[in-house]
Amino acid sequence: IELLPKLENSKTGELLNFTKQRFTALLEQEQISADVIDSVLPIENKSLNQLVIIAKALNSAKNSPALMQAAQSAKRISNILKKSQSQKLPAVKEELFSCNQEKVLYNTFKDIKKRLALKDLSAQKDYSEAFSSLALLAEPLENFFKEVMVNVPEIDIKNNRLALLSLTENLLTKDIADLSKLQIK
């Protein structure tokens, strides 16, 4: 688009829409399910080649019960954050954690972020391992939701919990694929 001379905004939108439709058709030819396609299309800063690799890896990985449980949690987190309507959440403060489930979730989040940062994500195998790492969030998230009340009267604790959920949501929906778009069976 940058290379094309002064395209009208409507023409730019048409070109992007055409590219998205062709890319979707290509992924469908590769037997990639519609929910996986919806999960990878919104991901930014990835080339089309990377998105194909991610889609293939996710298409295989979505058979994992733990990954699907993490995807379900991503949907729940999104709903909680929408309802909270907090403008800008503060950084997570570990000293405000009042129960073990918060600590476990935060430590699991940090461990996964570290693993993903150390990996050279370029091949389907690498992304398969990345999705296996994301699946590690399933149990800590389940325990968090069972034992922790997010909307407590103490505003600092509430915002800290919302900030923790926001970090986790970004990991599950923006870094590699939007797992919240997967169809849960």
Side-chain angles (χ1 to χ4, degrees), residues 106-121:
Y106 188 58
N107 288 333
T108 304
F109 164 82
K110 289 191 309 185
D111 180 52
I112 293 169
K113 279 297 270 191
K114 189 176 185 181
R115 282 186 199 195
L116 294 178
L118 294 175
K119 284 197 93 37
D120 173 26
L121 297 176

Side-chain angles (χ1 to χ4, degrees), residues 36-177:
V36 169
I37 294 170
D38 289 342
S39 296
V40 299
L41 280 180
I43 302 305
E44 297 177 1
N45 302 320
K46 304 279 189 225
S47 70
L48 292 179
N49 288 337
Q50 282 179 301
L51 291 177
V52 170
I53 293 167
I54 293 168
K56 287 179 179 181
L58 181 55
N59 208 52
S60 297
K62 77 175 201 166
N63 294 325
S64 159
L67 186 64
M68 295 312 286
Q69 187 178 348
Q72 183 72 35
S73 292
K75 292 177 185 187
R76 186 172 182 182
I77 293 168
S78 178
N79 289 334
I80 290 170
L81 292 174
K82 282 179 192 168
K83 288 178 185 175
S84 74
Q85 297 182 353
S86 295
Q87 279 101 8
K88 180 138 169 74
L89 293 170
V92 173
K93 296 178 186 166
E94 292 182 68
E95 63 272 12
L96 290 177
F97 292 156
S98 58
C99 58
N100 190 48
Q101 290 80 6
E102 291 170 291
K103 295 173 191 168
V104 170
L105 178 57
Y106 188 58
N107 288 333
T108 304
F109 164 82
K110 289 191 309 185
D111 180 52
I112 293 169
K113 279 297 270 191
K114 189 176 185 181
R115 282 186 199 195
L116 294 178
L118 294 175
K119 284 197 93 37
D120 173 26
L121 297 176
S122 58
Q124 185 172 339
K125 176 182 169 278
D126 299 329
Y127 282 105
S128 294
E129 290 175 15
F131 288 122
S132 294
S133 294
L134 291 178
L136 296 174
L137 282 166
E139 186 177 335
L141 280 167
E142 182 178 334
N143 292 334
F144 179 88
F145 287 128
K146 278 184 187 174
E147 302 295 329
V148 177
M149 173 71 107
V150 175
N151 291 316
V152 294
E154 300 86 359
I155 196 75
D156 288 344
I157 293 173
K158 173 185 172 181
N159 284 340
N160 200 53
R161 289 175 179 170
L162 289 171
L164 175 58
L165 290 177
S166 180
L167 288 176
T168 307
E169 180 193 38
N170 286 339
L171 187 60
L172 292 171
T173 63
K174 292 180 177 57
D175 289 357
I176 300 174

